[in-house]
């Protein structure tokens, strides 16, 4: 042993005693795992035995369970056999269209049911009417035009039909019918404003726009002047000439009424557009012609101011004379009373200063004899009778 041990300490001391527990420790034996015994499968011989349901064992004779995936549009499309990509797209489009049609049909049924409910509910019964009465469409007349029965549902009312029914009234220019939930109808009516009467075969009332809106009835004219000279055939045919004549007469009437002047009874417009005005009290004719109406009415105002009280005796006044440049304006007039006419002429002849308005006798009017004052009185009476009889001052007969 000394041959193989070179350590002097090992050679001098004897070898130590080894620990047996450390040196001789051996691993403990591990028992082998016990195999788990599986239950034998159910066979035909054990068909009558009870099966433990906890392990989801199938019943004897039952068909094996088949897992069915959740039905969806993609699964349905994928399950279509042998159709290809185009066929699947068509099938998908058809499926979506079917779903959309079904939803639309459901919404339509819901809307129909809702409409049926609100149009038959007592909560929406028409109970109130808001209306400001007009002179020719009172409340009772409006109610008869509406014709709403008690219990009528306000949502079932045809407002357009009611508006048309009210607008069919001759005096109504515009009508409006609106709902105010839950039970109120609001009605607004605008009437025509009669500006004059029109005689064209029959008497009509016309508004400021020159539109004949109704036949004239008894008591409706009042103090409205009558526009004459409009051809009936042109009026019925809608000829622009008829509307132009009416517009010309209304413009002359509007200009005449701008300042206080004697009330007019007639405005005559001939075929050429010349205008003649006739006063209501004396039937005096103011011939304005075809020119500017306002400038010629200014001549008439100057004449009346110069005559004073004798202006009421005027019979015919020609205001349509156009003076030459640099010459004074001329107004030719005649009087109902010959004495008043002679006095005015004498005053005009004896004036020292020239006036811008000359008054002369009409050439066709003969001078009355001095010894017969009764003849002018007869002519005066005849003129008044003609003006207040069955003819207008212009000579046009009055039609019923």
């Amino acid at each position: 042993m000394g041959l193989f041990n070179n350590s002097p300490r090992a050679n001098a001391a004897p070898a130590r005693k080894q620990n047996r527990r450390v040196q001789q420790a051996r691993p403990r034996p591990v028992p082998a795992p016990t195999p788990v015994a599986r239950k034998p499968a159910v066979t035909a011989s054990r068909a009558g035995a009870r099966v433990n349901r906890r392990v989801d064992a199938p019943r004897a004779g039952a068909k094996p369970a088949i897992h069915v995936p959740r039905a969806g549009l993609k699964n349905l499309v994928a399950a279509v056999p042998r159709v290809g990509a185009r066929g699947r797209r068509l099938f998908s489009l058809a499926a979506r269209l079917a779903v959309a049609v079904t939803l639309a049909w459901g919404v339509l049924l819901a809307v129909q049911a809702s409409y049926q409910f609100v149009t038959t509910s007592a909560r929406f019964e028409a109970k109130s009417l808001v209306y400001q009465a007009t002179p020719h469409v009172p409340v009772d007349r409006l109610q008869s035009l509406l014709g709403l029965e008690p219990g009528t549902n306000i949502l079932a009312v045809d407002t357009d039909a009611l508006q048309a029914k009210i607008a069919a009234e001759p005096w109504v220019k515009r009508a409006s019918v609106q709902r105010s939930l839950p039970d109120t109808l609001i009605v607004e009516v605008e009437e025509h404003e009669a500006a004059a009467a029109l005689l064209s075969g029959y008497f009509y009332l016309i508004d400021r726009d020159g539109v004949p809106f109704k036949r004239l009835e008894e008591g409706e004219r009042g103090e409205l002047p009558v526009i004459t000279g409009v051809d009936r055939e042109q009026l019925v045919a809608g000829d622009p000439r008829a509307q132009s004549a009416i517009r010309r007469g209304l413009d002359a009437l509007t200009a005449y009424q701008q300042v206080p002047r004697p009330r007019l009874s007639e405005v005559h417009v001939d075929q050429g557009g010349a205008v003649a005005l006739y006063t209501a009290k004396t039937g005096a004719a103011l011939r304005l012609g075809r020119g500017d109406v306002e400038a010629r009415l200014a001549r008439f105002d100057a004449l009346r101011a110069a005559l004073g009280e004798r202006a009421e005796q005027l019979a015919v006044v020609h205001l349509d004379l156009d003076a030459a440049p640099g010459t004074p304006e001329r107004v030719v007039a005649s009087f109902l009373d010959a004495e008043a006419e002679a006095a005015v002429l004498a005053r005009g002849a004896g004036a020292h200063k020239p006036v811008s308005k000359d008054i002369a006798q009409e050439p066709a009017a003969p001078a009355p004899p001095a010894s017969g004052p009764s003849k002018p009185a007869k002519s005066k009476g005849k003129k008044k009778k003609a003006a207040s009889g069955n003819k207008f001052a212009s000579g046009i007969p009055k039609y019923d």
Side-chain angles (χ1 to χ4, degrees):
M1 293 177 63
L3 294 176
F4 296 96
N5 192 354
N6 297 326
S7 176
R9 186 177 180 182
N11 295 329
R16 291 183 179 180
K17 189 176 182 179
Q18 300 290 333
N19 190 349
R20 293 181 180 180
R21 292 184 179 181
V22 176
Q23 295 294 329
Q24 298 179 3
R26 294 179 181 180
R28 296 180 181 180
V30 178
T34 305
V36 179
R38 296 183 179 180
K39 294 183 179 180
V42 179
T43 58
S45 61
R46 298 180 60 187
R50 185 175 180 179
V51 181
N52 190 352
R53 295 183 180 181
R54 293 184 179 181
V55 295
D56 296 332
R59 295 183 179 180
K63 296 181 179 180
I66 301 175
H67 176 70
V68 179
R70 181 181 296 178
L73 185 58
K74 294 183 178 180
N75 296 331
L76 291 176
V77 173
V80 178
R82 300 177 184 178
V83 293
R86 184 177 181 182
R88 285 194 297 271
R89 286 196 299 268
L90 293 177
F91 181 77
S92 175
L93 180 61
R96 294 181 181 182
L97 181 62
V99 173
V101 171
T102 303
L103 292 177
W105 183 256
V107 172
L108 181 62
L109 291 179
V111 171
Q112 183 179 5
S114 302
Y115 178 79
Q116 183 70 19
F117 170 75
V118 298
T119 53
T120 56
S121 175
R123 174 176 174 78
F124 299 101
E125 179 183 351
K127 299 178 181 179
S128 302
L129 176 64
V130 177
Y131 172 65
Q132 185 175 359
T134 59
H136 300 91
V137 185
V139 177
D140 54 351
R141 177 57 181 165
L142 179 68
Q143 290 177 345
S144 63
L145 290 175
L146 294 177
L148 298 179
E149 299 293 336
T152 302
N153 191 283
I154 194 173
L155 296 176
V157 173
D158 189 352
T159 56
D160 294 337
L162 293 182
Q163 288 180 185
K165 189 182 296 184
I166 298 173
E169 283 289 289
W171 278 99
V172 176
K173 182 178 182 180
R174 190 177 297 105
S176 173
V177 180
Q178 297 179 353
R179 301 184 185 92
S180 179
L181 298 179
D183 57 1
T184 304
L185 281 177
I186 302 176
V187 181
E188 296 180 358
V189 172
E190 180 184 355
E191 287 191 355
H192 289 281
E193 182 182 356
L198 173 67
L199 176 59
S200 182
Y202 298 96
F203 283 99
Y204 301 93
L205 288 175
I206 59 176
D207 57 14
R208 292 290 177 182
D209 297 328
V211 178
F213 59 89
K214 75 178 300 292
R215 288 276 296 271
L216 181 65
E217 298 180 4
E218 185 178 358
E220 290 183 341
R221 178 189 172 187
E223 296 183 351
L224 294 175
V226 179
I227 297 178
T228 60
V230 180
D231 186 81
R232 177 169 177 78
E233 293 183 358
Q234 295 178 357
L235 180 66
V236 174
D239 195 319
R241 291 176 292 179
Q243 186 63 32
S244 177
I246 295 175
R247 186 72 265 166
R248 172 71 172 165
L250 286 176
D251 291 343
L253 177 62
T254 303
Y256 184 87
Q257 294 175 343
Q258 292 297 322
V259 298
R261 295 185 178 103
R263 186 172 64 87
L264 295 180
S265 64
E266 181 186 357
V267 179
H268 182 71
V269 184
D270 62 15
Q271 294 296 326
V275 178
L277 308 178
Y278 297 88
T279 60
K281 185 176 181 180
T282 61
L286 311 179
R287 303 190 182 278
L288 305 179
R290 301 180 180 86
D292 184 14
V293 174
E294 295 183 356
R296 296 178 180 184
L297 288 176
R299 300 179 188 176
F300 176 64
D301 294 337
L303 176 63
R304 293 182 71 248
L307 294 178
E309 295 180 356
R310 295 181 183 273
E312 300 297 331
Q313 300 297 325
L314 288 171
V316 179
V317 182
H318 290 271
L319 303 169
D320 54 347
L321 299 177
D322 295 328
T327 60
E329 297 179 352
R330 291 176 55 86
V331 176
V332 178
S334 63
F335 294 83
L336 296 174
D337 189 353
E339 295 181 356
E341 182 177 356
V344 171
L345 291 176
R347 187 180 65 179
H352 298 285
K353 295 182 179 180
V355 295
S356 60
K357 309 293 182 179
D358 293 336
I359 303 172
Q361 183 181 2
E362 287 184 330
S371 61
S374 59
K375 290 184 180 180
K378 290 183 179 179
S379 63
K380 178 181 178 181
K382 289 181 180 179
K383 289 184 179 180
K384 286 187 177 181
K385 184 177 180 180
S388 60
N390 294 327
K391 291 184 179 181
F392 287 99
S394 59
I396 297 178
K398 297 180 179 180
Y399 297 93
D400 295 333

